[in-house]
Amino acid sequence: MKLMLSPDLGLPVDVAGEAIAILAKRGAGKTTTARVLVEELRGCDVQTVILDPVGAWWGLRSSADGRSAGLSLPVLGGAHGDVPLEATAGRLIADVVVDTGQSAVIDLSDFSKTQQRQFVVDFAERLYLRKARERTLLHVVLEEADEFVPQRVSAGDARMVGAIEQLVRRGRGRGIGLTMISQRSASLNKAVLEQADVLVAMRTTGPRDRAAIEAWVSKQDVDGADEVLPSLPSLETGEAWVWNPERALLRRVRIRRSRTFDSSQTPKAGEARVAPKEVAAIDLAALGEQIAATAERAKENDPAELRRQIRDLKGELARRPTERETVEVEKVIEVPMLSERERALLEKTARRFDELMPRVESLVGVLDSVKALLERVAAHGEQAAPAAVRPSRPVAAQPVARPPARPTPSPRPDGDARVSGPQQKILDALAWFAAIGVSTPKRTVIAALAGVSPKSSGFEKNLSTLRTAGLIDYPAGGRLALTGDGDAAAARPASMPSDADLHAAIFTMVSGPQASILRDLIDHYPTALSRDAIAASVGVSPSSSGFEKNLSTLRSFELVDYPERGFVVALPILFPSEGA
């Protein structure tokens, strides 16, 4: 199957999973070209979603002359929407898109610039996350793409630009392709434009806009620039250069006529806008059910709802000591005291409950941990102790935050007498990484899984002992590896570990404020966040010494870095499943 942009040019359907840029001045036919592309994608059953900030795409529902049905896809939001759209619904709509496989026009024209930014950030970030597991082919079209990925990135735009760049740069591996349409090539972010796989260049006259196209061409190690660039100002309406260096394709073509209604056309003075008489039918009832079902699932996993459940459990936990004290008075039974270490752990982890867990999976893990603690406190209450000494008041139990996700080893019938407990944890951590294909992880993450600081002298001493014993080796700077003997002495994890397990282990190694900073950076990886944005997210002043110290500590652990002045980014070390 081919995407027939013109009678003599057909692109392979695989292009739907790549990044395409359609650049031209106003009136040169760029939106018509994009509409033809969407018609071809839908003709090949490729799921297609259009983000439309100007309300120009609703005409896809009707034929070119407006007298018969066009493409059967719903319009969400805008003046012609089948259903209304809220600016806060970006995550929900991304879930609907992934769960249903539904193509759609998402009309953002009723939103302010701030509302558009909020919707696009939530939609793009959620879509990228969900498509990690649902890797069916999906193509996203960005009308007026320079509004979403501008060349000049303000502080308010940084997260949106990062989210779109992530789709362009890394979406291909998750089945996501993207088309960027712009009449202002010079205003389109160059870092994003340079990553386009296919360029469709139409009539362009402005020197700065032509320079932006020339910059893309200069990044391609192919011939043809001498022919393409001088011809851009003289191209006729609907005429385009289609350039795909990866497939050695460079062709000057006339884009075929669109088969759907041109709702982007501006009526001439004194003329009324022509409206189509017939549009494709949409099963609104089914669409409503799909959105409602997705919304219900989101509510069930909503952090606010889970926090409410946690508060209820905390209340029940706080009441347990009082109930037990009444029993003690009547039966004169001593309740064993918690150790100082346990009490310190309870007090520390109690504070972490009030932090917003950004990942629903983590919050579910918290609930499981609280329930486990309830069972443990109940078990303490059932144990009778000598009556010689009785506490004047019971220790108030506190809830425990999510336990560290250490590797769960498979039982081994024998052990290695040469290895101490802390050293065994190091060997097991290396085996944990080997299970996901990372044979030479960095010391910092091994320390995290072993439950120690990578800067501690004890950790360094244990590494030295294991190396002397021939159980580990140092294959490269800052990295560790099991030897054959070490592999035999290590306990393999009973279940396949994940990046989230590593994150949970690291969160227990660092302080609470450091964990909050790290969670925010992990959620936005690989996008760099400004220090101001991070500080606002975790609720501290960006100029405070404590905030600066926490960033410095995370950097010394080789978990984050400063890619440019004023910005911080999580490092690939935190995502071993992606090849760190």
Side-chain angles (χ1 to χ4, degrees):
M1 300 177 71
K2 295 282 189 179
L3 307 177
M4 300 302 297
L5 300 187
S6 76
D8 56 347
L9 176 64
L11 298 176
V13 177
D14 291 348
V15 168
E18 300 173 8
I20 303 171
I22 302 177
L23 308 178
K25 67 170 296 184
R26 184 177 182 181
K30 63 183 183 306
T31 299
T32 298
T33 300
R35 197 163 64 250
V36 168
L37 175 62
V38 170
E39 292 168 8
E40 292 294 321
L41 289 169
R42 292 303 302 129
C44 293
D45 291 326
V46 175
Q47 184 185 11
T48 309
V49 174
I50 299 99
L51 292 180
D52 178 14
V54 294
W57 281 81
W58 54 270
L60 286 172
R61 290 273 295 282
S62 185
S63 63
D65 60 6
R67 298 176 181 177
S68 58
L71 301 179
S72 180
L73 74 173
V75 178
L76 311 181
H80 299 270
D82 298 299
V83 294
L85 189 66
E86 296 291 335
T88 56
R91 289 169 59 87
L92 172 63
I93 297 303
D95 284 338
V96 171
V97 166
V98 175
D99 291 344
T100 66
Q102 173 74 63
S103 296
V105 174
I106 301 176
D107 190 330
L108 309 177
S109 59
D110 284 345
F111 294 164
S112 67
K113 186 175 179 62
T114 299
Q115 290 173 324
Q116 285 187 12
R117 180 190 299 141
Q118 177 185 1
F119 184 95
V120 171
V121 167
D122 292 344
F123 177 83
E125 290 182 345
R126 182 64 173 174
L127 184 67
Y128 181 79
L129 179 65
R130 287 294 312 277
K131 293 293 284 182
R133 294 182 180 273
E134 304 288 341
R135 300 197 176 192
T136 53
L137 194 56
L138 164 66
H139 197 82
V140 179
V141 177
L142 295 182
E143 178 64 85
E144 303 292 350
D146 47 272
E147 293 290 325
F148 301 118
V149 278
Q151 173 62 15
R152 295 184 179 180
V153 183
S154 66
D157 289 335
R159 185 173 172 186
M160 177 173 61
V161 172
I164 298 299
E165 182 177 12
Q166 182 169 248
L167 292 182
V168 174
R169 183 162 65 91
R170 307 180 70 189
R172 186 174 183 177
R174 301 190 177 199
I176 305 173
L178 190 139
T179 289
M180 299 172 282
I181 311 166
S182 179
Q183 63 178 338
R184 303 166 60 200
S185 306
S187 299
L188 188 62
N189 189 278
K190 302 304 178 293
V192 178
L193 176 58
E194 288 173 0
Q195 296 174 65
D197 303 290
V198 180
L199 175 67
V200 180
M202 308 182 78
R203 185 169 65 249
T204 305
T205 57
R208 293 177 60 236
D209 292 332
R210 290 170 63 191
I213 295 175
E214 184 175 3
W216 181 90
V217 172
S218 68
K219 297 293 182 180
Q220 315 302 321
D221 187 20
V222 293
D223 297 327
D226 293 343
E227 183 181 6
V228 174
L229 298 174
S231 69
L232 291 178
S234 60
L235 292 177
E236 297 180 5
T237 298
E239 195 174 15
W241 282 101
V242 179
W243 202 340
N244 181 200
E246 185 176 323
R247 296 179 175 85
L249 170 65
L250 176 60
R251 186 84 60 82
R252 183 171 177 170
V253 300
R254 182 172 294 279
I255 303 300
R256 70 162 175 80
R257 290 180 177 274
S258 172
R259 302 187 185 104
T260 53
F261 188 79
D262 184 4
S263 50
S264 67
Q265 193 172 35
T266 302
K268 296 179 181 179
E271 294 183 356
R273 179 183 290 275
V274 177
K277 297 180 179 180
E278 185 74 27
V279 296
I282 297 295
D283 189 343
L284 289 180
L287 177 63
E289 291 175 0
Q290 292 168 349
I291 294 176
T294 301
E296 183 62 29
R297 285 193 296 273
K299 180 181 178 181
E300 291 173 356
N301 294 319
D302 180 55
E305 177 65 18
L306 290 173
R307 287 200 303 275
R308 183 192 64 75
Q309 296 179 35
I310 291 171
R311 286 196 300 270
D312 292 344
L313 287 170
K314 287 172 67 177
E316 182 181 347
L317 186 63
R319 290 191 296 271
R320 285 296 183 93
T322 302
E323 295 168 359
R324 190 165 58 249
E325 185 176 17
T326 301
V327 175
E328 289 168 1
V329 171
E330 294 177 357
K331 297 187 178 181
V332 195
I333 298 175
E334 178 188 359
V335 177
M337 296 284 288
L338 296 174
S339 68
E340 287 299 319
R341 181 176 179 277
E342 289 174 323
R343 183 173 181 176
L345 176 62
L346 288 172
E347 291 175 348
K348 176 182 177 182
T349 54
R351 292 190 294 270
R352 294 192 184 181
F353 264 111
D354 296 327
E355 296 179 10
L356 174 63
M357 296 290 188
R359 296 178 182 273
V360 171
E361 300 94 323
S362 301
L363 286 167
V364 175
V366 173
L367 286 173
D368 292 340
S369 300
V370 174
K371 292 175 182 177
L373 181 61
L374 288 174
E375 295 172 357
R376 180 183 171 202
V377 171
H380 273 300
E382 294 171 1
Q383 295 174 359
V389 180
R390 179 173 171 269
S392 57
R393 55 186 279 191
V395 177
Q398 299 290 339
V400 174
R402 177 178 54 195
R406 308 284 181 220
T408 304
S410 301
R412 292 189 297 123
D414 55 350
D416 194 322
R418 298 174 295 172
V419 178
S420 67
Q423 292 163 6
Q424 184 65 52
K425 289 182 179 180
I426 293 173
L427 293 178
D428 294 349
L430 284 166
W432 188 90
F433 268 96
I436 57 175
V438 181
S439 58
T440 59
K442 286 193 173 183
R443 296 185 183 208
T444 46
V445 291
I446 293 302
L449 288 178
V452 297
S453 168
K455 302 292 185 180
S456 69
S457 59
F459 179 62
E460 188 62 39
K461 182 178 179 180
N462 284 327
L463 290 181
S464 179
T465 300
L466 290 171
R467 190 185 190 195
T468 301
L471 299 177
I472 68 170
D473 199 1
Y474 303 160
R479 293 185 178 270
L480 304 173
L482 287 170
T483 64
D485 289 344
D487 183 66
R492 293 288 175 178
S495 59
M496 180 59 69
S498 66
D499 290 348
D501 293 331
L502 174 62
H503 300 164
I506 290 177
F507 293 154
T508 65
M509 181 187 77
V510 300
S511 69
Q514 291 164 6
S516 296
I517 293 171
L518 202 54
R519 287 189 184 100
D520 200 22
L521 290 167
I522 286 172
D523 282 348
H524 295 94
Y525 177 82
T527 302
L529 301 180
S530 69
R531 292 178 181 235
D532 290 347
I534 299 170
S537 177
V538 301
V540 299
S541 169
S543 60
S544 68
S545 59
F547 179 63
E548 183 61 38
K549 182 178 179 181
N550 286 329
L551 285 178
S552 179
T553 299
L554 292 174
R555 193 186 190 198
S556 71
F557 286 170
E558 300 181 19
L559 301 175
V560 307
D561 201 4
Y562 307 152
E564 57 181 294
R565 185 178 180 85
F567 283 81
V568 188
V569 66
L571 289 177
I573 191 175
L574 293 165
F575 298 88
S577 66
E578 298 186 12

